[in-house]
Amino acid sequence: MTLRAVLLSLLLPAAVVMLLLVVLGQPGTAVGAALVTLAGSIAAHVANRDQVHRQIQALVSKTRDRVEGTAVSPSPDSERMDEMASLEGAIDSLHSRLTTQNVLRTQEARTLTAVLDGMVEGIWITDAEGTVIRHNDALRVMLQPGRGAIVGQRPLALIRDEALNDAVARACREGTSSRLELTLEGLFPLTLAIRVTPLGRDLPGSAAVFNDVTELRRLENVRKDFVANVSHELRTPITAIRGYAETLQTGALQDPTVAPKMVEIIHRQSERLSELVEDLLELSRLESREMKLRFADVSLAVAASRAADTVKPKAEGKNIRLELHVPSDLRARGDERAVEQVLLNLLDNAVKYTPAGGRVDVRGTQENGRCVVRVKDTGVGIEPKHLSRIFERFYRVDKGRSRDMGGTGLGLSIVKHLLGAMEGEVKVESQPNVGSVFVIFLPSTPSEAASG
C-alpha cells in the first residue's frame, strides 16, 4: 500500500467526524473528536497490519515446510482473513499439483534409466556441444570398467577416433546421421558398430548407439576361412580324380602298365575325399550338438587296443614299435565309440608323423580323480608357435607334408570337440625333432574316483 493511500485511510475518518460536528454546531469539540478518531484509525491500522504480518509469516512458514517435505499440521485461526485463507488454499493446490508432477517425472526417469541400463547396446547422449550428458551401464563396460567419469567428457577423450568425433559434431550441428565401425584395442579388443543420430524434435544434441559385433566379426572370419579351407581340401582330390579319369578316357585305359596305377590313385583320392566329407559331417554334428552320446563305463584298455589294431598295419609298414600300457581296470565315464575315435585319431597322427623305426607309447593312469591317457611318439615334433592352434579346423603345421600323408586337417579338432562333449580335455607337449605327447583327461567312473 502506498503512503498516500495509508494517509488517506487514516485522515479521512477524522475529517468526516470534524466536518459533521461543525455542521451540527459544535465546532469546539470538532478538533478533539477528529483527533480521537485519527488516533483510533491509527491504532486500528497498526493492529490490522500486525495481524496481516502474522498471517503472512505463518503462511510463509507452512509453505517452506511443504517445500522441504516437513509435515505440516493445520493451525486453526478464527481471526484469519478470508484473503489469506484463499491464498493458502491456492498454495496448497499448487503444491499438490507440483508434488504429483514430480512423482510422475521421478517414476519416468527411473523407468528410462532401468530401460537404458537393461540394454546390451551401449548408449550415450550429448548436448549441443558434443559433451556426454548421459550414458547407460553397457557403455561403461564397453569402454572398460576402470575408466573414470564418462559424463562431462567429449567423444575424442573417451574414444580416440576422429571419425566418431566428426560424426557426433555433424549430428549436433547439421542434424546428420552416421554409421561407422571401429575397433578398441586393449586386453580384450572390441569391434563396435556405431550409429550416431541427432536427438530431433527441436532437442539440441546427439545420441550414439554402440553394438558389440566382436563375436559376429570373428564368426564371419571363421566362416570365410572354413569355406576357403573346405574348397581347397575338396579341390585337391577332385582335381586328381578328374585328371586321371580324363587321361584314362583319352586312351590310357588300354595301357596295361599305366591304367592300374591311375585307377589306384583315383581310388586313393576318392577315399581321401570320403574321409574329408565324413570328418566334416562329424564335426558339424558335434558343433551343432546333434550327436547324441551314450554315456557308460568305458574300459580304456579295450578302447586303446582297438584303436591300436586299426593303425597297426600302418605302423608295421614303417617299422614303428607300438606299445600299450593301459591298466585293465582303468575305466572312464564316456561314450565308448567317441573314446575309441579320440584314441584312434591320436594314434593315427602319431604313426603318421613318426619316422620309420620310431616308437609310439600309450600309457594310462588315474590322477586327481580323472583318467589320464598319454600318447607319446618320437616323431618330428611341433614348434611352440603352433601348439596353441593345432586343435583348430584345417590348421596344419606343415601344410604340404600333411596333405601328402593324407590328413584332412580335422582330426585334432574332432578330438577336442568329442572330449569337450564328454566333460574331458586334451593337452599337448612337444619339441621339434624330439616328439610329441598328447594327453587326454576323462572323468573316472564313480568307483574309480572314490578309490583314487
Side-chain angles (χ1 to χ4, degrees), residues 374-375 377 381-382 387 390 427-431 435-439:
R374 290 177 171 84
V375 179
D377 63 58
I382 305 169
L387 293 178
I390 60 173
K427 297 180 180 180
V428 60
E429 302 171 359
S430 185
Q431 295 183 18
S436 303
V437 181
F438 283 85
V439 188

Side-chain angles (χ1 to χ4, degrees), residues 134-412:
R134 188 167 189 174
H135 65 88
N136 65 350
D137 290 342
L139 182 70
R140 176 174 292 281
V141 174
M142 289 180 181
L143 299 185
Q144 307 303 330
R147 184 182 294 274
I150 296 177
V151 172
Q153 299 288 335
R154 302 297 292 271
L156 202 57
L158 297 171
I159 300 176
R160 298 288 183 180
D161 188 86
E162 292 288 348
L164 175 60
N165 189 62
D166 293 343
V168 172
R170 288 195 302 272
C172 293
R173 299 171 187 171
E174 305 171 12
T176 305
S177 298
S178 305
R179 291 181 181 272
L180 62 153
E181 188 170 302
L182 57 88
T183 299
L184 299 182
E185 301 296 339
L187 183 60
F188 301 102
L190 288 180
T191 301
L192 301 177
I194 307 171
R195 177 172 173 77
V196 182
T197 60
L199 289 180
R201 296 185 179 180
D202 299 327
L203 295 175
S206 68
V209 180
F210 298 74
N211 286 283
D212 184 355
V213 294
T214 307
E215 183 65 13
L216 180 61
R217 295 294 177 261
R218 188 190 70 81
L219 292 176
E220 286 180 355
N221 291 332
V222 169
R223 178 185 60 81
K224 291 177 182 178
D225 292 343
F226 179 75
V227 171
N229 285 322
V230 168
S231 300
H232 185 80
E233 296 296 333
L234 292 175
R235 187 184 299 115
T236 302
I238 289 174
T239 300
I241 292 171
R242 175 184 291 177
Y244 286 112
E246 290 176 350
T247 303
L248 291 172
Q249 284 180 333
T250 56
L253 186 61
Q254 307 304 322
D255 189 330
T257 304
V258 176
K261 295 181 179 179
M262 291 187 175
V263 171
E264 174 61 26
I265 294 174
I266 290 175
H267 181 262
R268 189 165 63 249
Q269 293 297 329
S270 67
E271 285 186 335
R272 178 181 175 184
L273 189 61
S274 177
E275 290 176 2
L276 177 61
V277 172
E278 287 298 324
D279 283 350
L280 284 171
L281 291 174
E282 182 87 0
L283 192 58
S284 176
R285 287 192 292 267
L286 286 169
E287 291 183 340
S288 62
R289 302 183 184 276
E290 292 180 2
M291 176 178 287
K292 303 299 181 182
L293 300 180
R294 298 180 179 179
F295 286 85
D297 294 346
V298 180
S299 171
L300 294 180
V302 173
S305 177
R306 291 175 179 173
D309 289 341
T310 303
V311 301
K312 188 173 293 184
K314 186 184 296 185
E316 292 175 348
K318 296 177 65 176
N319 195 27
I320 294 175
R321 188 169 59 181
L322 181 59
E323 296 186 359
L324 302 180
H325 304 279
V326 182
S328 58
D329 59 347
L330 186 62
R331 306 180 72 84
R333 187 69 181 171
D335 180 271
E336 185 176 10
R337 173 184 169 277
V339 172
E340 288 184 14
Q341 185 171 356
V342 165
L343 292 173
L344 176 58
N345 285 355
L346 294 179
L347 283 174
D348 185 64
N349 274 354
V351 172
K352 186 183 301 179
Y353 294 106
T354 297
R359 178 177 174 176
V360 175
D361 289 328
V362 180
R363 295 184 179 272
T365 60
Q366 186 177 0
E367 300 175 7
N368 299 322
R370 293 195 297 178
C371 293
V372 182
V373 179
R374 290 177 171 84
V375 179
K376 182 179 181 180
D377 63 58
T378 57
V380 295
I382 305 169
E383 294 183 10
K385 65 180 181 180
H386 299 295
L387 293 178
S388 62
R389 299 192 60 190
I390 60 173
F391 295 102
E392 295 179 11
R393 294 176 295 183
F394 295 112
Y395 187 81
R396 289 187 172 93
V397 175
D398 186 340
K399 294 182 172 61
R401 182 170 182 172
S402 297
R403 291 194 180 95
D404 291 340
M405 293 180 175
T408 64
L410 296 172
L412 291 179

Side-chain angles (χ1 to χ4, degrees), residues 400-423:
R401 182 170 182 172
S402 297
R403 291 194 180 95
D404 291 340
M405 293 180 175
T408 64
L410 296 172
L412 291 179
S413 182
I414 291 174
V415 167
K416 181 179 179 180
H417 280 81
L418 283 174
L419 288 171
M422 294 185 290
E423 299 182 357

